Amino acid sequence: MPSDAFLLDALDSGGAQGFHCAWDGDTLAGVAFQRRGAISASVVTPRLAAYALASSIGNRESWTSVVGPEDPCSAIVDSLRSTKPFRVDRVQSFMAALRGAKLGPGGSGVRRATMRDLETLVLLVARYRVEDGLSAAGDDHGAWIRLHTMERIQSGNLFVVEERDRIVFTGAFNFVGRWGAGLGGIYTVPEARGRGVASRATSDLCRIALESGLAATLHVDPANEPAIRAYGKAGLEEAGEFRLTFR
């Protein structure tokens, strides 16, 4: 299933390290995953199994995020709650395009970002995070954003669209592999919105992802209707719900 592409990619790239299994006799009932502070779970994991998996994941102080299919991941989040509120805790709309799907028109001119784009992208990523509610305006996340952006550029997973030598769009692959790719960090500068930049660029990113993977996926705030329309025009279809929780 496309919502399990992240776990399958993690299994391909890092083996079984970080995976936790729930068993019903000899039958595998559910799977959860934790690596580098990120927790997720397979969409087919029942809530009861997810509660059990949450208790086996390990040190509760070591996790930073829970991102994945709503039913199992909301159960995990419930198990991790304390008196301190989470920085982000919401349900996202999950969207996917499978290989062979009819994608929207591309031709955006999207290209891979280079280190020459770094300073501009650090500012755009900071603006995106505030607009999306991932950071507050006064948060001191500059050093983390710079390091994260550099890593994405160096891995070839960060993309931009330019108009008149100015970056107007950026988007990334949070993960990419033979099972699929997760698109994220999609941001269009306000003055370039409403002209189809995001839908064309997202369609082009889906094409890149589907050259080697089975699905292109993303999750988005269900209240962000302009973004959902743009992703629909790109060829992505709504395919469930995703939990997004950050400490």
Side-chain angles (χ1 to χ4, degrees):
M1 293 185 181
S3 54
D4 278 344
F6 170 64
L7 267 71
L8 291 166
D9 175 73
L11 189 62
D12 272 358
S13 61
Q17 180 181 4
F19 280 85
H20 299 256
C21 299
W23 297 87
D24 181 5
D26 293 332
T27 302
L28 183 62
V31 176
F33 167 78
Q34 182 184 27
R35 193 178 292 168
R36 296 179 63 183
I39 297 173
S40 192
S42 170
V43 68
V44 297
T45 302
R47 288 185 66 86
L48 188 60
Y51 282 119
L53 286 164
S55 67
S56 75
I57 282 176
N59 186 350
R60 290 169 178 249
E61 300 303 316
S62 66
W63 72 277
T64 57
S65 66
V66 180
V67 181
E70 165 61 6
D71 278 353
C73 288
S74 64
I76 291 173
V77 169
D78 287 345
S79 297
L80 297 173
R81 289 189 189 279
S82 65
T83 56
K84 185 177 180 180
F86 297 132
R87 180 164 56 88
V88 175
D89 187 26
R90 64 192 189 213
V91 179
Q92 302 274 92
S93 291
F94 179 72
M95 303 184 73
L98 304 182
R99 183 182 289 176
K102 182 179 180 180
L103 300 177
S108 65
V110 69
R111 65 167 175 82
R112 281 184 165 83
T114 70
M115 291 302 293
R116 292 193 302 271
D117 304 314
L118 178 63
E119 299 305 322
T120 298
L121 287 170
V122 167
L123 295 175
L124 291 185
V125 171
R127 287 169 61 182
Y128 153 75
R129 287 181 62 85
V130 171
E131 282 193 27
D132 201 41
L134 301 177
S135 298
D139 286 345
D140 184 16
H141 290 165
W144 179 87
I145 289 171
R146 178 174 294 275
L147 178 61
H148 186 60
T149 303
M150 287 178 62
E151 288 176 346
R152 282 185 160 179
I153 291 174
Q154 292 166 350
S155 68
N157 289 329
L158 188 58
F159 299 81
V160 298
V161 172
E162 288 182 301
E163 290 183 350
R164 299 177 182 176
D165 298 322
R166 179 169 176 260
I167 293 175
V168 297
F169 170 93
T170 182
F173 293 152
N174 293 328
F175 67 91
V176 60
R178 66 188 177 107
W179 298 103
L183 281 64
I186 296 175
Y187 181 73
T188 307
V189 299
E191 53 270 34
R193 294 173 187 171
R195 297 193 280 106
V197 173
S199 62
R200 293 195 303 275
T202 302
S203 179
D204 284 334
L205 291 178
C206 287
R207 286 183 170 86
I208 294 169
L210 295 173
E211 286 177 0
S212 56
L214 297 177
T217 69
L218 57 80
H219 50 87
V220 57
D221 184 346
N224 192 344
E225 295 181 1
I228 291 174
R229 286 197 299 270
Y231 300 149
K233 290 178 182 178
L236 293 142
E237 297 183 352
E238 295 193 45
E241 295 180 327
F242 246 45
R243 168 65 54 168
L244 182 66
T245 299
F246 293 158
R247 297 182 74 173

